[in-house]
Each structure stands twice: as structure tokens, then as C-alpha cells.
Amino acid sequence: MTINSEGEAEVTVTGGGLSTRGSRSTRQKRAVAALLAETGEFSSAQDLHARLKESGEKVGLATIYSQLRTLADAGEIDSVRGDSGETLFRRCDLVSHHHHLVCRRCGHAVELDAPEVETWARRVGGRYGFRHLDHVLEITGICDRCSEAAT
């Protein structure tokens, strides 16, 4: 989200459908997009590569990285940084600016529409004279399912 010169919020669209705007559609790219569409959790490029190989798809890891970058740049998938520092990707249901609550163990994610975060970001940015703000908020923890499994 950015704040324009009139102080109004302008939301950057993230998430959404999985077309491959601006790039040639290949069998490999369609396979990556299809897997992301059916996978509800954040996944690494290596995890997606392993799943595609298991299903018999012949897709190189470099192709997967390229496709993920294309989809992320187009705002069609979201990415978060995992605890290990690795970037994880997911197709989100919310097409407007949003945040995530992510389980550190299983990757389960909840999409958060958090207007109070937007208000806070505008207030803090304005306090220090910043404009055209953008931000990413990732909250991590252990979900109920993983907490129960550990006991």
C-alpha cells in the first residue's frame, strides 16, 4: 500500500489468479501454476520441484524459479521469508493488499485483512515524513494442529 500526495491509501494488488501475463505459456509453466493453485500452503521452489518430479513432470529447478519470479512480479502469488531465510510462495485468495499468519512447522497460512496495520503504517510513516509507503507484515507461530501434535 502506498499513500498518495493527498494522504489517501493506494492499495497494491497481490495474490489472485494464476495466469502468466507477459510471458510465454509453456507446459512447464502451466504445471508450476497448477501446483500452486492446488497447494494452499507456502512452499519453497525446491519443494515445488520435488512434487512436480514425483508427479512425473519434467521441469527444471531454474524454470520453477523463473516462473515463481514472474508470478510474484505480476502480483499473482505472494511470497514470505521462512525462518531459515528461504523464500516461500503461495497463491492467495485475497486479491487486495493483505498479510499472513504462518505456522513455522507445517506452513499453514491464514490471510489477514488488517486495516489497523495500514493505519499504524500511515501514522508511523507520516511521523517521520515518509510518503509512498509500502510494507510487508509476516507473523509466524505454531498453529493449533502442530501444537496438539507435539503434546
Side-chain angles (χ1 to χ4, degrees), residues 4 6 13 22 24 30 43 58-60 71 83 86 88 92-93 98 112 134 141 145 150:
N4 66 22
E6 289 77 40
V13 175
R24 190 170 61 97
R30 287 189 303 273
S43 302
K58 295 182 189 223
V59 180
L71 290 167
D83 284 348
E86 184 175 31
L88 307 173
C92 293
D93 293 328
H98 62 280
L112 305 173
D134 195 9
R145 186 175 52 209

Side-chain angles (χ1 to χ4, degrees), residues 85-144:
E86 184 175 31
T87 303
L88 307 173
F89 302 90
R90 177 178 183 258
R91 180 193 170 274
C92 293
D93 293 328
L94 292 175
V95 294
S96 61
H97 177 78
H98 62 280
H99 307 284
H100 298 100
L101 180 59
V102 183
C103 179
R104 286 192 295 264
R105 291 205 178 128
C106 71
H108 173 68
V110 176
E111 296 173 6
L112 305 173
D113 180 19
E116 59 276 9
V117 171
E118 312 313 316
T119 301
W120 174 82
R122 282 192 303 274
R123 188 175 63 246
V124 169
R127 181 181 311 146
Y128 293 97
F130 280 70
R131 297 176 188 197
H132 308 290
L133 300 170
D134 195 9
H135 65 274
V136 176
L137 175 67
E138 299 167 15
I139 304 170
T140 62
I142 306 299
C143 71
D144 283 344

